[in-house]
Amino acid sequence: MYVISKTEKGRNQQYKIENVLLEYMQTRLFEDITVVDLCEKAGVTRRIFYRHYSNKLGTLQALLDHRVGEFVKAQEKFDRIRLVAVLGFMKEQDELLSAIIKNGFSELFLERLLVYVLENDHLKMKLGYHDIKDGYSVLYFNLSGLMGLVINWHRNGYDKSIEELAELIVRLMAKPITE
């Protein structure tokens, strides 16, 4: 759990702590990173850390939520033009993707993305999931498929251009599953 600071100074401290966590996760496993490590590198006291986060996992959840928020802002509607923008954004998040994959947090990232969308009624309407029967299942299916493709693309060294991957996704989305 975490609390978003109401002050600019507090938000800056959170930003530093979250980015330190991401930096450490590039070279170390999540379980080997301590709150003391985060505080020392971010230049904050443990008291400040615990003002914002209940524990180290809360820091990771905040980091993912903030990046998910950026991701969702990049994708208000699923179409080819916006898809290219979303894929470009995801490619820019290479360090985050590496850290998530290395530490086995792909499912947590997907969960945070789902929570973000489901808690935002305006966003659900824009994405078209507000009136779909079993909307959660449809949303989970679509987002997990998209994230799976992005993670595979990352693991393969971005072997396709953004435009090629967008075209593949558009073809997959247009094709019935039974074919």
Side-chain angles (χ1 to χ4, degrees):
M1 296 288 295
Y2 66 95
V3 176
I4 297 175
S5 179
K6 294 179 180 157
T7 68
E8 185 175 343
K9 181 180 177 183
R11 286 189 299 274
N12 287 337
Q13 291 169 335
Q14 287 180 288
Y15 180 78
K16 282 182 187 176
I17 295 167
E18 292 164 22
N19 282 313
V20 166
L21 176 63
L22 176 57
E23 183 181 326
Y24 277 142
M25 286 176 62
Q26 295 296 307
T27 57
R28 295 162 58 180
L29 293 176
F30 181 78
E31 62 195 31
D32 296 332
I33 302 166
T34 67
V35 170
V36 171
D37 293 335
L38 296 175
C39 292
E40 286 177 0
K41 180 100 177 186
V44 300
T45 64
R46 287 180 54 174
R47 183 177 185 172
I48 288 173
F49 177 90
Y50 286 111
R51 182 180 303 152
H52 301 301
Y53 310 101
S54 59
N55 54 35
K56 183 175 65 171
L57 185 58
T59 310
L60 178 61
Q61 289 174 327
L63 171 65
L64 293 176
D65 286 353
H66 293 134
R67 296 294 171 96
V68 163
E70 294 171 18
F71 171 77
V72 172
K73 286 176 189 170
Q75 169 186 308
E76 289 190 340
K77 181 180 173 193
F78 187 83
D79 62 32
R80 193 178 190 299
I81 294 169
R82 288 194 175 109
L83 182 57
V84 167
V86 168
L87 293 172
F89 173 80
M90 292 305 290
K91 189 174 181 181
E92 290 171 7
Q93 302 302 314
D94 185 65
E95 289 179 348
L96 178 65
L97 287 171
S98 293
I100 287 169
I101 293 166
K102 177 182 176 185
N103 286 276
F105 287 116
S106 301
E107 187 67 27
L108 180 61
F109 185 62
L110 178 60
E111 174 191 317
R112 302 314 298 175
L113 182 58
L114 284 165
V115 166
Y116 189 89
V117 172
L118 292 171
E119 289 180 349
N120 187 326
D121 289 334
H122 176 71
L123 188 56
K124 280 193 293 191
M125 290 188 70
K126 280 193 168 216
L127 292 172
Y129 292 103
H130 63 289
D131 61 354
I132 297 175
K133 183 179 183 210
D134 301 319
Y136 176 84
S137 298
V138 173
L139 178 63
Y140 187 89
F141 179 81
N142 288 337
L143 290 177
S144 62
L146 178 61
M147 287 308 301
L149 285 170
V150 167
I151 288 170
N152 190 51
W153 182 46
H154 167 81
R155 285 182 174 150
N156 289 326
Y158 304 104
D159 59 340
K160 292 182 176 19
S161 71
I162 292 170
E163 292 76 18
E164 288 173 321
L165 186 58
E167 185 60 38
L168 172 64
I169 292 168
V170 168
R171 282 197 326 264
L172 289 172
M173 296 300 286
K175 195 176 210 181
I177 293 175
T178 57
E179 285 186 16

